[in-house]
Amino acid sequence: MTSTVDVTVLADLLRRAAKAEILPRFRRLGQDDVRAKSEATDLVTEADEQAERMIKAEAAQLWPGALFLGEESVAADPDLLGSLEHADLAIVVDPVDGTFNFAAGIPAFGVMASVISGGETVAGIIYDPMGDDWVMAEKGGGAWLRRPEGGAERLSVAAPVGLEHMVGMASTGYLPKEKRAEVLGNLAKVRFLTNYRCAAHEYRTFAGGHVHYLMYNKLMPWDHLAGTLISQEAGAYAARFDGSPYLPHHLDGGLLITPDKASWDLLRREVFTV
């Protein structure tokens, strides 16, 4: 399904962009290199912009027929977002996921890309510049941790556990204000709640079998398409809050990902009562 986009070539492009434009700026940003977008915690840096510029330019040469949708491209031209639903082939990129962490000097950030074909996600890549490895998947081919020297390890989600033993991650900041306190109260029913402020590492952690749930409400495609496919290929059950599949053009409706449907139903009923 991804014959028009060589996923290994795309993965290498993310790595080269990180080494050329992101890592040299880590903990070396000047005051003028960081700017707020929609709010004080929604940041963009020179690393985001320059990495996306490099990825976009090379992607245009490698796959000239594909729509390129990057977070910073959409920030500059919001109308681009609507073109994803009708694109025959698209490459969606988050040049620095976890920009808040990156700007604060916290080594928890990643570079993500997904390939969309015929309205569905067919490949996802999450590159960790600090660990220098990828978590990636092609639809129907499983989820894998891959290293530059060629090593690969197949990933599998955690075994289901009871509600009181569940450990997971939830991004509660984008929940409706009237529901946020209720959900936060419900989270006392699980064992632990955490949040890395970086979807890239949250998806990696989940797909590697270390936590039992992920929950998001704001669904920007560069944040969630790659990770959702990787999670599903690692064995997860993923759906929006109404039980419908999460598709590339969805921007709302929430997203809950668990090891199996029984866990999804339990968390939806007892915790995420949005």
Side-chain angles (χ1 to χ4, degrees):
M1 298 182 70
T2 56
S3 59
T4 54
V5 174
D6 187 325
V7 178
T8 60
V9 172
L10 180 57
D12 181 65
L13 174 54
L14 302 188
R15 181 178 186 244
R16 289 189 290 107
K19 290 185 176 297
E21 303 292 354
I22 298 171
L23 287 174
R25 292 180 168 91
F26 183 53
R27 295 180 177 164
R28 292 174 175 83
L29 293 168
Q31 288 186 344
D32 295 336
D33 295 333
V34 184
R35 300 176 298 284
K37 294 193 288 187
S38 63
E39 57 179 316
T41 58
D42 180 17
L43 303 178
V44 61
T45 74
E46 284 295 303
D48 299 73
E49 293 175 337
Q50 295 302 325
E52 182 167 317
R53 186 172 291 116
M54 175 179 169
I55 295 167
K56 181 179 180 179
E58 294 204 24
Q61 294 293 319
L62 290 164
W63 306 289
L67 168 72
F68 182 90
L69 197 72
E71 179 177 5
E72 306 315 326
S73 299
V74 172
D77 181 6
D79 290 341
L80 278 173
L81 196 55
S83 59
L84 181 60
E85 184 175 2
H86 306 291
D88 292 330
L89 180 67
I91 298 170
V92 179
V93 170
D94 191 342
V96 181
D97 183 71
T99 300
F100 183 90
N101 294 345
F102 181 82
I106 299 169
F109 53 91
V111 188
M112 297 199 287
S114 56
V115 180
I116 314 304
S117 178
E120 67 173 338
T121 310
V122 296
I125 306 165
I126 301 174
Y127 176 66
D128 175 17
M130 302 303 292
D132 194 22
D133 58 18
W134 303 267
V135 165
M136 52 198 298
E138 293 184 72
K139 190 173 180 64
W144 299 85
L145 171 65
R146 298 190 182 276
R147 298 180 175 87
E149 65 273 15
E153 174 186 338
R154 188 155 190 167
L155 301 177
S156 181
V157 297
V161 296
L163 185 65
E164 69 276 15
H165 299 297
M166 289 186 185
V167 176
M169 303 175 185
S171 179
T172 59
Y174 293 107
L175 289 174
K177 187 175 181 180
E178 64 275 11
K179 278 289 185 179
R180 194 180 308 154
E182 178 184 334
V183 170
L184 286 170
N186 290 341
L187 281 162
K189 300 174 184 179
V190 304
R191 184 68 183 94
F192 280 116
L193 163 70
T194 188
N195 185 309
Y196 292 163
R197 291 190 60 90
C198 177
H201 278 284
E202 290 167 1
Y203 280 112
R204 286 177 63 108
T205 302
F206 177 83
H210 303 290
V211 296
H212 305 101
Y213 64 87
L214 299 176
M215 187 285 293
Y216 304 99
N217 194 54
K218 183 180 178 182
L219 304 182
M220 304 314 291
W222 44 82
D223 287 328
H224 301 295
L225 293 180
T228 299
L229 178 66
I230 290 166
S231 297
Q232 290 172 316
E233 289 295 322
Y237 183 83
R240 296 200 295 168
F241 293 154
D242 65 1
S244 63
Y246 168 50
L247 299 175
H249 65 278
H250 288 151
L251 303 179
D252 54 23
L255 178 63
L256 178 59
I257 307 178
T258 61
D260 63 357
K261 189 175 187 303
S263 299
W264 193 97
D265 289 337
L266 180 61
L267 283 166
R268 181 71 176 91
R269 182 178 65 249
E270 296 292 332
V271 178
F272 299 113
T273 53
V274 181

